[in-house]
Amino acid sequence: MVSEIKICGISTREALDAAIGAGATMVGFVFFDRSPRAVTLGHAAALAGRTCGKVGVVALTVDSPDDVLAKIAEDLRPDFIQLHGAETPERAEEIRRRHAVRVMKAIGVEGPDDLERARAYAGSVDALLLDAKPPKGADRPGGNAIAFDWRLIAGFDPGVPWMLSGGLSATNVAEALHVSRTRAVDVSSGVERAPGVKDPRLIREFVNAVHAGDPDRLTAIAA
């Protein structure tokens, strides 16, 4: 059964309300200036205050220094800080310990070697996010609307929970669930009508497609 549906790159009340109303379980706020989805900490905290505990809150950061992470942890009180940069397992563990927050590490996947790299984080983080590697010349590490070969991660067990990201949308998420056997998915550009502009209709369609394509649900119906 799919346990987590994360809508990342939330920046407006309309998008937040749509994610909650559709049945998403997590929302992500991006603290990376080069992203079209970037928000200020004050704005993110105001939006997070509207969740009333209905969804988990994730703060996406990229190689942020400790003073920035401390402010995020204090003002936003996220359920996870998502590390989307070049943070090592040692750095991830340091962040988790120093800021008393759960940590999710994003790993760019292109081949089997990347999965071995992901396994190295098992003792240092609380969750992994498997994303497509950005194309050469990309100015941001995620949100590039690119998928990778989901067959690579079928049966993947790194020792911590993991989430699938990268190029997902309502049109392909059922196939992604079937091939990868993941129990958690993350979407950003796949529910946008323009870069950084979330579409409530696409959010609803994505969440509905996840539920409709859940392999366990389909098995139960068939039985």
Side-chain angles (χ1 to χ4, degrees):
M1 183 69 69
V2 174
S3 59
E4 300 288 358
I5 303 173
K6 175 170 167 270
I7 310 296
C8 198
I10 295 290
S11 61
T12 66
R13 289 186 177 185
E14 180 185 40
L16 177 66
D17 292 346
I20 294 172
T25 62
M26 306 175 82
V27 294
F29 299 107
V30 176
F31 300 103
F32 182 59
D33 289 343
R34 293 203 294 273
S35 171
R37 305 164 187 92
V39 292
T40 65
L41 180 53
H43 185 54
L47 289 175
R50 292 173 56 85
T51 65
C52 300
K54 296 176 182 176
V55 293
V57 172
V58 179
L60 188 157
T61 66
V62 180
D63 297 315
S64 294
D66 280 311
D67 60 335
V68 172
L69 294 172
K71 192 67 174 170
I72 291 172
E74 179 181 354
D75 292 0
L76 189 62
R77 297 185 180 277
D79 295 278
F80 285 92
I81 286 182
Q82 179 178 320
L83 308 178
H84 221 111
E87 301 89 354
T88 63
E90 293 76 18
R91 174 59 176 155
E93 172 59 28
E94 179 187 19
I95 290 169
R96 183 166 68 164
R97 183 182 64 254
R98 176 175 294 186
H99 302 291
V101 65
R102 288 188 292 175
V103 167
M104 178 187 303
K105 179 68 179 87
I107 303 292
V109 176
E110 190 174 56
D113 289 348
D114 298 312
L115 299 184
E116 290 305 311
R117 185 164 60 91
R119 287 190 177 93
Y121 286 85
S124 305
V125 301
D126 301 279
L128 292 168
L129 183 140
L130 304 182
D131 198 357
K133 279 191 174 178
K136 180 177 285 189
D139 63 353
R140 56 183 186 267
N144 294 296
I146 297 172
F148 62 93
D149 186 351
W150 302 315
R151 293 173 297 181
L152 289 169
I153 55 174
F156 181 57
D157 182 8
V160 294
W162 60 275
M163 178 173 286
L164 175 62
S165 186
L168 297 178
S169 69
T171 61
N172 68 7
V173 71
E175 180 185 1
L177 291 170
H178 175 73
V179 173
S180 71
R181 309 303 294 182
T182 185
R183 294 297 176 264
V185 291
D186 168 275
V187 67
S188 186
S189 58
V191 292
E192 293 178 347
R193 58 176 174 263
V197 183
K198 293 289 185 288
D199 187 319
R201 177 182 61 83
L202 294 178
I203 290 174
R204 290 190 294 271
E205 289 179 356
F206 180 82
V207 174
N208 289 340
V210 171
H211 291 313
D214 186 334
D216 289 339
R217 177 181 179 276
L218 294 177
T219 299
I221 291 173

